[in-house]
Amino acid sequence: MVFTLIKDGVTYQLDLQGGQKDSEGKAIHSSYVAPSMYGLVVGEDLPNADAYGNTANVDKVANPDNLSYSEAMRTLFIGEDSGAHTNNYVWAYNVDTKELNRILSVPAGAEATGLFAADDRNGFSYIFSNFQHPGDELDGKSVTAVNKDELLKAVDEQIGINKTGGIGYISGIPSLTKYNNGKYQKSLEIDKK
């Protein structure tokens, strides 16, 4: 078996099963044992930094740091904390279609953090995300597409390098569930009745 080192990270899926044994052959009394795992969402290293200082493909996840899953949307949300992307992103990965979409970019040098998907809040769903330490990881980057000094100045003047963060949410997403008789059900299932 050949393994490839990927510096820019992987989000793994672990298949959980009961009836497993430990290395001494003793039964593990849990249904949450992961006998196997594989890369679900895989980053891609670039051979050289691009003009914006990215060392990872901007169309793929780099260094996933926080996750939130919405069963109603069948979507895994992934937040980055990476020096590989000059702007870290929040991604949406649909577990059925296997489609990956970038849904949010945080300020240059900041980390995307505090990720949470909230289903069916008064008929709508929301994705919450924070960012922290804007401008932090820009010093060592080889940015040639824009004037790096002007970028740092703009981040400092408008946000405050390493002095602040921000919180927000993506709103207006129609709820995919409805509360019916004490249970959440997918809206389409209810509408058929």
Side-chain angles (χ1 to χ4, degrees):
M1 181 177 276
V2 176
F3 292 97
T4 303
L5 174 65
I6 299 172
K7 295 178 186 176
D8 294 311
V10 178
T11 301
Y12 290 97
Q13 178 172 324
L14 285 71
D15 295 321
L16 304 178
Q17 298 176 12
Q20 301 298 304
K21 295 181 180 180
D22 67 16
S23 61
E24 296 176 359
K26 296 177 186 172
I28 300 173
H29 302 289
S30 174
S31 297
Y32 298 100
V33 179
S36 65
M37 67 184 232
Y38 63 92
L40 183 67
V41 181
V42 180
E44 179 183 333
D45 303 331
L46 296 177
N48 299 300
D50 68 12
Y52 292 95
N54 296 300
T55 58
N57 184 337
V58 294
D59 293 322
K60 296 187 178 184
V61 172
N63 301 113
D65 182 53
N66 46 101
L67 306 171
S68 185
Y69 180 69
S70 167
E71 178 63 33
M73 290 186 257
R74 304 283 297 151
T75 300
L76 177 66
F77 296 95
I78 305 167
E80 296 181 339
D81 180 12
S82 171
H85 286 159
T86 299
N87 291 82
N88 282 303
Y89 305 117
V90 174
W91 301 84
Y93 178 78
N94 184 285
V95 297
D96 296 321
T97 66
K98 312 296 186 223
E99 187 176 345
L100 180 68
N101 289 289
R102 184 175 42 240
I103 61 170
L104 176 70
S105 175
V106 299
E111 167 190 355
T113 187
L115 189 56
F116 178 69
D119 292 325
D120 198 25
R121 303 303 194 260
N122 294 320
F124 291 92
S125 297
Y126 301 87
I127 295 101
F128 292 84
S129 184
N130 310 337
F131 71 84
Q132 62 187 19
H133 59 74
D136 183 35
E137 297 180 3
L138 292 177
D139 284 340
K141 289 204 164 285
S142 175
V143 177
T144 59
V146 297
N147 183 304
K148 188 164 76 170
D149 292 333
E150 288 179 16
L151 174 61
L152 285 166
K153 182 179 177 187
V155 169
D156 194 32
E157 287 175 355
Q158 296 178 25
I159 304 170
I161 291 179
N162 287 323
K163 298 175 187 166
T164 189
I167 182 169
Y169 58 92
I170 299 170
S171 66
I173 305 166
S175 177
L176 300 177
T177 62
K178 289 184 182 177
Y179 199 69
N180 188 27
N181 297 326
K183 294 181 181 178
Y184 281 105
Q185 296 177 325
K186 290 187 178 182
S187 295
L188 296 175
E189 293 171 358
I190 294 170
D191 292 341
K192 288 180 184 176
K193 292 179 181 178

